[in-house]
Amino acid sequence: MNKKPKTRNLLVALAVVCLAFGAYLFAHLHGPRNSDRFGRASLRVVPDLSLTDLNGRTIQTADYKNKVVLVNFWAAWCVPCADEIPQFIALQKKYQSQGLQVIGFSVDDDPRELQNFYGKYQMDYPVIPSVVKDADAFGGVLGLPSTFLIGRDSRIYIKHTGTTDFSALQKEVVALLRTTPTSR
C-alpha cells in the first residue's frame, strides 16, 4: 500500500479547511461591519451621564443636546480601532461647525498607554477612559470598535459594530445634521 497519496490527500484537505477558516476570519474581522438602524419606536434615549475625560474635564451628556454626537468605543490595542481614529478626527473637523461632536470611550486601556495613544494620534475630541459597562447606557457593546450616532434629540439612531465604512457613516452624519429634534 502506498501511503503517499493518503498523506497528500489529507494535507490538501487540511489546507482547504485552513483556507476556508482563514477566509471566514478575514471576512468577519475586516468585512462589512454590522449596522443597526433603529425605527422611531425603538430609539433609545441616552441617559444623562457625568463622566471625566482624559484631560480631567467633566463631560455631561446633557451638554450635547441639539448636537449630533458620534460615540466610538475603542481600545488602543485594537488595530482596526486605531485605523479609524484619523477618520473620526477628520469628521470632527469637517462637521463640528454644523453641530457634530465626536466622543471616544477608551475601553480598559492602561492610563499611560492611553495617554501616549491620545498624543500620538493628536485626538482633538474628548476621550473618556471607561470600562465596557459604560456602554450599557448606549445599549451595550458586543465588540470593538463600536460606533453610535445620536441625533439632536439625544436618541441613538444608528449603531455600527466592527470596522467603519466611512463613506456610509458620513452620509448618516450629514442626514442627522440636517434634522432638528422636532422634525423627527
Side-chain angles (χ1 to χ4, degrees):
M1 245 188 180
N2 191 351
K3 289 186 179 182
K4 285 186 181 182
K6 284 185 180 181
T7 303
R8 191 163 137 215
N9 289 345
L10 183 61
L11 287 175
V12 168
L14 184 60
V16 168
V17 168
C18 287
L19 284 172
F21 183 70
Y24 166 79
L25 281 178
F26 182 82
H28 180 71
L29 296 174
H30 300 288
R33 66 182 174 184
N34 297 323
S35 178
D36 293 323
R37 286 171 178 73
F38 304 105
R40 180 73 175 132
S42 66
L43 296 178
R44 181 186 189 103
V45 175
V46 177
D48 288 335
L49 301 173
S50 182
L51 305 158
T52 303
D53 78 0
L54 189 59
N55 296 316
R57 293 180 298 226
T58 300
I59 302 292
Q60 296 190 6
T61 54
D63 294 341
Y64 296 105
K65 285 186 173 144
N66 296 317
K67 288 190 176 265
V68 172
V69 182
L70 186 154
V71 172
N72 177 246
F73 285 86
W74 59 278
W77 48 262
C78 168
V79 174
C81 299
D83 291 344
E84 292 183 340
I85 299 298
Q87 295 175 80
F88 287 130
I89 292 169
L91 277 176
Q92 172 77 21
K93 285 181 181 172
K94 185 171 184 176
Y95 295 107
Q96 185 173 20
S97 65
Q98 296 176 43
L100 175 68
Q101 178 61 59
V102 176
I103 301 174
F105 281 76
S106 169
V107 179
D108 291 333
D109 281 320
D110 172 75
R112 184 176 295 154
E113 182 182 345
L114 176 57
Q115 192 68 43
N116 290 338
F117 186 95
Y118 183 81
K120 175 183 175 183
Y121 284 88
Q122 300 177 347
M123 298 171 79
D124 62 350
Y125 54 84
V127 171
I128 299 166
S130 67
V131 293
V132 174
K133 71 177 187 169
D134 288 339
D136 290 345
F138 297 89
V141 170
L142 297 176
L144 298 175
S146 286
T147 303
F148 297 82
L149 281 176
I150 302 164
R152 295 179 187 275
D153 58 359
S154 299
R155 294 179 182 272
I156 299 171
Y157 283 84
I158 299 166
K159 175 184 178 183
H160 297 289
T161 303
T163 56
T164 303
D165 173 353
F166 276 87
S167 63
L169 182 65
Q170 183 170 334
K171 289 175 186 172
E172 294 162 349
V173 166
V174 168
L176 284 173
L177 287 169
R178 289 182 178 156
T179 64
T180 62
T182 56
S183 69
R184 293 243 175 231

